[in-house]
Structures are given as structure tokens and as C-alpha cells.
Amino acid sequence: MHRPRTSRSPRAGAARSPLSGPGPQLALAGMCAGYAVGAVFGWGSPEVARVMGDFGLSGAAFLAAGSCLWYAHRRAGHLRPAWTLFGLSSMMIGLGNAIWGWYEVVLRESVPRTSLADLCYLLFAPLAIIGLLMFARRPVTRAGWICLGLDAWLIGGSLMTLSWSVALAHTAQWRGETVARAALALAYPLLDIALVSMVLVLHFRCGTRHRAGVNTAIGALALTVLCDALFTSPMLRAHYSSGQLLDAGWFAASLLLAYAPWAGGRGAQPGVGRPPDEKPAKEPASPPYDRPSHPHDHASHEYDHAYPQGRDPGCGGDPPAERRAGRRARPFAETLGIGALAPYTAAAVCVLSILMTIVAGRNVDRVVVYTASTVVLALLVRQGITLADNVALTRELAQKENYFRSLVQGSSDVIMIAAPDGKLRYVSPAATGVYGREADRLIGCELSTLIHPDDLGRVLHELRRFLSVPAALEPATRIECRVRHAEGRWLNVESSVNRYQGGLIFNSRDVTERVRLQAQLQHSASHDALTDLPNRALFTERVRLALSDGTVPGQGGAPEAAVFFIDLDGFKAVNDTIGHQAGDELLVQAGQRLRESVRAGDTTARLGGDEFAALIVGDPAGGEEADQPAVGPAAEAAEAGDPAVQRAGAPAGGTGSREYRILEIAERVRAALSRPYLLDGREVRVAASIGIAFTEPGATPAALMRNADLAMYRAKQAGKARVELYVPQLQADAVRRTELADRLRRALHAGEFTLVHQPVVDLADGRITALSAQARWRSAHGLLTTPLELLRGPRPEAGERATEMTGWLVKQAIAEAGRRHRKGLTVPVSVRVPGPRLADRALGAGGVEALLAEHALPPSALVIELPEAESVLAADELRRRLLDLSGLGVGIALGGFGSGGTAAAALHRLPVDLVRLDGELVDGLLDFPQLRKIAAGLLRMAADLGIDSLADGVDHPEQATALRALGCRRGQGLAFCEPLDPARLRRALDAGRLPVPPPPLPPARRTHRETPADPTPSHSAPS
């Protein structure tokens, strides 16, 4: 029978039937009992009996019709036609009883033998039969329809044979009429027989949806048929009058049919009593024994595989919800197999009817013989169809069994069935290819003998947990473990585990390659691909773990970890000169040296480019560093009393605290990284600048790495190839630079900058040959030398400010040069542009050309000066942009000439028109003869290449004289003129010349000049 649902949605609860519950059922039983009691006692008078027997039955039938029609209209869903037909059939009963009462009660005359009431009574059965068909699972194949017809005839024919033998023939003889005419007069029992046949047939084929209501309706119809059969009996009909006990049966049948639509308890069942837009409530999980125990238990599903949607050849298919409900609650008759015995029961009834006729000494009627023969013939045809279906089903089951066996045997997964005691009962042939063992030899072995000892405890714990959970909550689980191969190696195996007949079934596959690939991917995600060192993410995590471990016990809260931030000095030159492949090889060797220079428990990492890092955890006093003498610059600095080393806690005597030993490790790392590298048969040297930061209370990984980074840039600013410790002042300086950059941004947008020009003169006659444009900041803080100088420091956070400042300088210089050019002053202007700023779109050839055209200035009137050439040589895009500017006609000047090897190399790789001697050469020109010779060689090389030369920072007349003697053509500095504002510049340009030092003194005075007591040149400058 139908099971009520244990869970429902809120809307399903709202759709609860108003007639559900014990109250309406008790009221229904009370009404039926009251009617029966009244009928037994004759209702007190014949008039009341006729009213209750006619109009009482009519009212009950109309009540049933209204209930079914109302339910069909509001809540029946797809079963609306069935309940509508039931309502119409009840309406026919009500009309027939009303007509009957009209004759007996109103007209007070006998009911005619043939009247409209007979027509209404005859229409009841066909409508009810069609309604029952709506409830049944309809066939979907031709064989199914044939079987349905045969089953109906088997039941109907057998009942007709029995009825004919027992009652109908006697009725015909009692009336003195022929049998055929009596059969026509007895249409009621014949239709009732058909109705009973359909009830019995469809009871075994009825869907499980709304089963309580369907069973109630079937019971009501069965009670009606029973009362009709009793009414047909000659003995009862001869003494029948309205209001007797027989009417109580019809009355109860009508009330049951009225109650049937609401008998389900809830109107929100699937497809029944639910609005079309409402979703059904979620069904509870099936009990463990109602569903397959594991995916490989195909035997329990063979019937479903053979007939989709759970149909047999003679039945229509229920929807999935019905099939699931049918598995949970099958009809009692179907459970006992009564449905399979129905055809044989029909044949037995036919035989019984014939035997009863013979025993009674009567002749067997031809109708009985013909009907029984057709029943037997239908039985034979039905059994033939069933046999053919069974043969086809058996063949299909065999095919599917072979199919599933082929899947199991041909699968690359190993399928094993383990008994409750842990022994293997079945092992698929795939074990030979996966485990290297024959499947037959594994059968009978303990499963635990195959699993790695380290994984066995975890696997057993998971299996015990899985078996303790109900199958409905967790039908399967998954485990991963290592299984021994026949060769002795261990395989990573992933298994899906399901319950199987008290044991377990394992569907296992080899995932060793996947595990290896996952480990490789995880390693690649946390390590540098080139050096195989930890990357920034893993290093940051290691620093976080070191900080979370606290401080060293017994050290009084001393920091436990130190971070090295390492940058290779000169690495870019290796890429430029030898190539990037050689640079990668250098990084690999540097990473190996770094790893060998620290302890085994320390962490080394490559952060990106030529930046490395190291995390030193704990006190190195217990390691090999404690036994090694203090060597290197750190020891020398300690002996000399270097404040930086003393800030680390190292006394001047060479023995000191943990921080001093950390410095020794850093010096060893620096020395290892600074040793020559052999690349492609060439010996290459680079240096290392190292910054050190120690953990502090409340420090974060980001703050600790930032502090080490600041210390590293301080080392680079102090001359590179050094080790520097972080001090709070570095952070203060960084904050100050950031604040200053913000002030510069506001000043730039507020227009607080002004443009000044410093003349470039010919050293021979003082003629002004060019102007050098420079920016000045006029603010409450005073007149600064240049805003860009303020942004220089260990970490120039103001790269964006420098770009804005350079763009402003170029635009203003071109605008001022355009105004001078229109006045006839055609002196070119020089603007200093750092190499990386050439990447700005406004400083490209197109942007510069547009600016020149806007101010009607020829390209030759502008000179772009590069302070250094390394960045341009290292980037092909910047070199291309510089070539485009030179092709446009803009002059290109190279500053810092003589400061490094790249400047000389740039003479043939860049379109240089002018070189500016490095300031250090000019400053030491008078004091150091070696610098004078270097300057002379550089000037001679530039002259041989046809490149003009310019000396910057010429602040003393003696420098100008010496430069002129060495062949330098132009000079710029305080010896000639300071940077001029627009008014003073206009006067200087109008004059066209500036005073230059006189020719050299006579030899005697020059000899006296070369040996003074104080060789320092004069710092006086012309006013």
C-alpha cells in the first residue's frame, strides 16, 4: 500500500487534504452505519423508506459526483480525466435514483419496466470502466495491448461462464424467455462482469501514484457491483423495495467514492493534487535494502535494463517517481505472485462452472461451452506470448551478462571482492597488468598484505567508518593507498569502495603517474623553474612559519630568524655582452653557490631576475660558523669599529653576538657569489649586494622582507659588493622620500616649477653654442638644485613622479626654444632624459615631432641627453626609439662618458652626436695625471669618430684651461655661468659670448704652478 511521505515542502504541507485524518473517516463510517440501521428497522414508515431508498441514494451519488468533479477541477493534475469520468458515472447513478424516486415518491406509481433510469444505470459502468483505464499503466507495445485484452477476457469470460451457469440461465428459464433475450434484459450484470474484470486486471497494473485514492475508488466500485449482483438474484429482486438493507450497500459505495479523491492524505503528491507550477516535495532516501548495494550489482537491475522505464511487455510504464514508490510499496497481490496465477485461476473457474452444471444434472449450455473455449484459447495465446517474452528476456539477460563480464574482464581497473573476513573472493584479470600478479593467485589472500604498512591503519579506519554508516547515507567511499607490485615497488592506487553481500567490492586504478605529476606540479608552483630554489611564495610562507615559532628559548626574546636580500651587481652587463643563455647559466651557478653557503636547515630562494634571498633560522653558534675564525670585511669592520657592525651587536674584538655570526654567514655568501663564473669558456665576474633584516616583535613576513630590501639598496648606494644591516632610519628615509614625491606631485600640478638654462660655451672663444635646460622648484622650502636629485636614494619610489617631471621638462624646454627661435635666437637646447623614460609614448619620435611642429622648431634645435647608456643598450625597444629620434634630426648626447665600459661600447651601437665627460674625470683632472691621460684618450677617440665632446661641471678656470689643452671643444659649469632665469638668459644670448679663461701661462710659471704646497684648485668662480 501507499506509504505517506516523511518529508515535504512547505507548500506540500499547505496542500493537505481537508478530509484527511481520522475525523472524516469516522464520520463516513457513522453515516453508513446509520443508514444501515435505518434500513434494518424500515425507517419507521414505508414513505420514509421510499424517500431514503430513492432520494437518499440519489443524494449520496450526487455527493460523490460533486467530490470527484471538484477534485478533478482543482487538484487532480494529470489524473483529471479519470476523476472526471468517476464523477460523471456517479452522476448517472444519482439521476437514475432521482428518476426512480420521481415515480415512487412523487407520482406514487410503479416504475416502468423500461425508463430513463435504466439508461442512466447502464451508462454508469462504461464511464467507470474508462475511468479505471485512466489509472492503469497503459501498454506501449502491440504485444502489451494484446496481453491486456487477453487478461481482460480471461477474467471476464471466466466470470461470465460462472454467472451463466449459476444464475443467468435460471433467470432466463424463470422468466419464461429465451437465453439470448434474458441476456439482453440482464445488461446490468453483464456490464458489472466487465467492470469487475477491469477492476481485477487493472488492480495488478495500477500505478503506485495516489494508490490510497485508487484503492478506495476500486473498493467503492466493487461494492456497487456486489450490490448489483445481489439485486440481479431472482430471490432478492422478487421481494425488493426501496429503503431496504441492499440500498445501504449502494449508499456506502457512493460515500466511499466521494471520499476516494481525498483518501491520499495529502494533495501534494507527485502529479496529483498539486498546482502545475509547484514542485514535488523531496522524497526521503530509500531504505538500504530497497536500492542496489553497489554499482556492480547488475542482477537486481536486469529487468529494468530489459524493459526501459520498468515496463513488462504487457504494462505501461510508470514515471520514475512511480517506479521508485513501487519498489518501496508493492501491492500485496503482486508481492505474493497472485497476478501470475490469474490466467490459471480463470481456467479453473471455467472448469468449475462446467462441473457444477454437470453435477447438478443439467445440460451444459452452448454459451458456457463457447465462452470456456475462448477462455482456454486466450490462455494458450497469453502463455505463448509470455513464453516468447521469457525467451527474449533470457536471451537479452545472457547478452547483458556477457557484456558486463566483458566490461569487467576488459577494464583497465582492477575489481576485487573482499569477504567480511578480509580475504579476496574475486579479482579481475586486470590485476595482472596493474599489480603484476596473476588474478587466481590473489584470490584467497588477505587484502591487508597488499597495502603499504604506513597506509594500512588509515585504510582500515576509513573502511570501519564506512561500514558503520547506513548505506542510504553513504552508498560508497573512496580511499587512496600504496599497493605492492610484484616487482617490489609501490603503486599509488585509488579505489572506489561499495558494499557487496556483507563484504566490500573495490574498483581500483593505478594513479601513480597522476600522483607523481601532482607532486611535480606542486613543486613547480613553489619553486623557481631555472634554479630549482623556492620562489617568492614559498619563501614568504617559510618566513611566516619562522615568525610564528617565536624566539629562541633562553635568549631573552632575541630574534630567531634573519632574512638576506641579495642582488647581483653587474648581471645586466652579462646578459648584454654574452647573452641571456649565459645569464641563465650564471643564475643557476649562483643559486647552487647560495645553497652551499648556508646551513642545511636554512632556506634559500630566488625572488625573480637577479634577486635572491635566504632565511637563517635559529642561532648559528652551534654550527660550523662557531668554529671558524672571523674573516672578511665584516671582521675588518668590527676591528675598525664600523658603526653598522657594532649596531648588530659585534664587539671590536671579533667575537660577538648572534647578529655578528649572521654577518659572517652573509660575508661568506657574498664572497661565494663574487667568485668568477665560467660561462661558455669565459670567466665572468659579478658582485653581490646583501641586505639583512632581523625579526622584531610584531613583524610580518612582508615587513621583514621589505626591511631586508631597503638594507640591500643601501648597500648598492654605498658602493655595491657590500653587506648592510637594516636600521629604522632606512624606513624613515623611505617614508621621507615618499612624502617628498607626493609634495613634488602637488607642486608639479600647482605650477611651482620653473625652467632655467645653463649655457654651453666653446672653450676656444666663449661663444654660446647650446643651452642645457634644467628644472627648479620654487617653494617655501627654498630653491632646490633639481627635483630629480631629491628622488635619488636606495629605493626611488617616485618613478611615476620622475616620468611626469621629465615630460614637463621636455615640453617646457621645446616651448621656450620655440619662442627664442621666432626671435632669431637659434641656439639648440639640451634636455636630460633618463633612458627608461624613452619608453613614454610622449617621448617617442611621433610625440617629439608633434611638439616641435607645434612650436615651429626644427629637429636640429633639440638635443636629447642620456645620463647613462646601460638601460638603452639592454632594451631593443629603447634603442629603436633612440634611432627613430636620431632619424628625425634630433641630436643625441651621451652623458657619463668614461664612467664604465658600456659608454665606450655605446659609441658604435647608438647614434651619438655628442659625448659628455663624466664628472669624476673633470673633478680629478688637475690632481691625478692618470685621469688626465684617460680623459685625453677618451677625447681623442671621440674626435677620431667625429663626435663632439663636452665637459660638464667645469667650475674652475684651471679645469677649463686643462680641458682645452686636451682637445675638449665645449664646456659647461660655474666657471662660465650659473643656470640663468629667462631675463638673464636673454641678455646672455644677446651678447652671444661668455668670458673664458686666458691662454696658458709661460712655462716657468707653469712649473711653479705644478709644485705648490697646496695643490687643491681654486674654488672661485666668476660672478
Side-chain angles (χ1 to χ4, degrees), residues 642-711:
D642 190 346
V645 177
Q646 291 181 358
R647 278 195 302 269
T655 62
S657 65
R658 170 182 174 272
E659 287 80 358
Y660 178 73
R661 291 187 288 272
I662 293 293
L663 274 175
E664 288 298 325
I665 298 177
E667 285 293 345
R668 187 164 67 247
V669 170
R670 187 197 62 78
L673 296 178
S674 300
R675 292 198 305 269
Y677 296 84
L678 187 62
L679 305 176
D680 295 336
R682 299 177 56 181
E683 189 177 273
V684 178
R685 290 181 177 271
V686 295
S689 297
I690 303 177
I692 304 177
F694 295 98
T695 56
E696 299 175 353
T700 62
L704 190 61
M705 295 175 66
R706 180 201 60 203
N707 295 344
D709 193 14
L710 291 174

Side-chain angles (χ1 to χ4, degrees), residues 21 65 77 117 161 197 395 412 420 428 456 501 509 518 559 561 636 680 690 775 795 807 878 983 997 1016:
T161 302
S197 301
R395 184 183 300 111
S412 59
S428 66
L456 182 59
Q501 297 180 358
R509 62 193 60 87
Q518 289 177 347
E636 298 174 0
D680 295 336
I690 303 177
R795 287 300 301 268
L878 296 181
T1016 303

Side-chain angles (χ1 to χ4, degrees), residues 143 146-147 150-151 154 313 343-344 376-392:
I146 295 176
C147 290
L150 292 175
D151 292 342
L154 286 173
Y344 305 100
V376 174
L377 181 61
L379 176 60
L380 294 176
V381 175
R382 181 68 172 87
Q383 292 304 108
I385 295 177
T386 302
L387 180 60
D389 291 339
N390 289 337
V391 171

Side-chain angles (χ1 to χ4, degrees), residues 366-545:
R366 289 179 298 175
V367 175
V368 174
V369 175
Y370 294 153
T371 305
S373 299
T374 55
V375 169
V376 174
L377 181 61
L379 176 60
L380 294 176
V381 175
R382 181 68 172 87
Q383 292 304 108
I385 295 177
T386 302
L387 180 60
D389 291 339
N390 289 337
V391 171
L393 180 59
T394 303
R395 184 183 300 111
E396 186 173 358
L397 290 178
Q399 292 177 355
K400 290 184 177 295
E401 183 179 357
N402 294 332
Y403 170 72
F404 293 131
R405 183 180 294 107
S406 300
L407 286 180
V408 171
Q409 295 180 353
S411 174
S412 59
D413 295 350
V414 180
I415 299 176
M416 300 184 299
I417 299 177
D421 58 358
K423 292 184 178 180
L424 297 177
R425 296 191 309 189
Y426 171 79
V427 179
S428 66
T432 304
V434 177
Y435 299 148
R437 303 168 183 261
E438 294 294 336
D440 296 338
R441 294 186 177 182
L442 290 176
I443 297 177
C445 296
E446 292 283 347
L447 178 63
S448 58
T449 60
L450 303 177
I451 302 176
H452 195 283
D454 295 341
D455 300 338
L456 182 59
R458 175 174 52 83
V459 171
L460 293 179
H461 174 76
E462 173 61 21
L463 293 180
R464 293 191 186 101
R465 184 205 62 79
F466 171 65
L467 292 175
S468 65
V469 178
L473 298 179
E474 189 175 2
T477 187
R478 187 180 300 273
I479 60 174
E480 290 190 15
C481 62
R482 286 167 290 178
V483 175
R484 184 187 299 274
H485 192 271
E487 299 176 356
R489 54 191 175 91
W490 294 98
L491 303 176
N492 294 97
V493 174
E494 179 185 70
S495 301
S496 300
V497 186
N498 301 85
R499 298 173 178 86
Y500 179 76
Q501 297 180 358
L504 295 172
I505 182 169
F506 295 82
N507 191 345
S508 307
R509 62 193 60 87
D510 183 10
V511 294
T512 304
E513 186 64 22
R514 190 190 71 184
V515 172
R516 186 194 63 79
L517 181 60
Q518 289 177 347
Q520 181 180 353
L521 291 176
Q522 185 176 4
H523 180 84
S524 300
S526 59
H527 288 73
D528 177 57
L530 182 63
T531 62
D532 201 36
L533 294 175
N535 57 15
R536 182 182 293 271
L538 181 57
F539 184 78
T540 303
E541 177 64 17
R542 297 281 179 84
V543 174
R544 186 190 65 79
L545 293 177

Side-chain angles (χ1 to χ4, degrees), residues 243-434:
Q244 291 184 352
L245 187 60
L246 185 59
D247 291 345
W250 281 316
F251 182 81
S254 296
L255 291 185
L256 281 176
L257 191 58
Y259 176 73
W262 317 96
R266 304 185 190 278
Q269 299 181 21
V272 181
R274 185 180 70 249
D277 58 342
E278 181 177 346
K279 298 182 179 179
K282 183 178 180 181
E283 296 186 10
S286 300
Y289 46 83
D290 281 342
R291 62 172 60 183
S293 62
H294 60 86
H296 303 281
D297 192 5
H298 300 288
S300 62
H301 294 291
E302 292 295 345
Y303 189 83
D304 293 337
H305 288 306
Y307 296 100
Q309 299 184 2
R311 295 189 288 264
D312 62 21
C315 296
D318 285 337
E322 287 194 20
R323 296 201 307 272
R324 290 193 298 268
R327 292 171 186 163
R328 293 193 298 268
R330 297 182 177 181
F332 179 74
E334 184 180 351
T335 304
L336 297 180
I338 297 178
L341 299 177
Y344 305 100
T345 304
V349 169
C350 291
V351 174
L352 178 63
S353 64
I354 295 175
L355 290 177
M356 290 176 60
T357 303
I358 295 175
V359 171
R362 298 190 301 271
N363 295 327
V364 179
D365 195 274
R366 289 179 298 175
V367 175
V368 174
V369 175
Y370 294 153
T371 305
S373 299
T374 55
V375 169
V376 174
L377 181 61
L379 176 60
L380 294 176
V381 175
R382 181 68 172 87
Q383 292 304 108
I385 295 177
T386 302
L387 180 60
D389 291 339
N390 289 337
V391 171
L393 180 59
T394 303
R395 184 183 300 111
E396 186 173 358
L397 290 178
Q399 292 177 355
K400 290 184 177 295
E401 183 179 357
N402 294 332
Y403 170 72
F404 293 131
R405 183 180 294 107
S406 300
L407 286 180
V408 171
Q409 295 180 353
S411 174
S412 59
D413 295 350
V414 180
I415 299 176
M416 300 184 299
I417 299 177
D421 58 358
K423 292 184 178 180
L424 297 177
R425 296 191 309 189
Y426 171 79
V427 179
S428 66
T432 304
V434 177

Side-chain angles (χ1 to χ4, degrees), residues 916-939:
R916 183 188 294 267
L917 284 180
D918 186 64
E920 294 183 1
L921 290 177
V922 177
D923 291 340
L925 193 64
L926 301 178
D927 299 331
F928 302 100
Q930 297 85 351
L931 293 181
R932 184 179 303 178
K933 293 180 180 180
I934 293 173
L938 292 174
L939 292 172

Side-chain angles (χ1 to χ4, degrees), residues 595-621:
R595 187 184 295 110
E596 295 172 352
S597 300
V598 298
R599 301 170 303 172
D602 298 330
T603 301
T604 57
R606 181 189 176 209
L607 304 182
D610 59 346
E611 293 182 344
F612 294 85
L615 174 64
I616 310 300
V617 181
D619 192 347

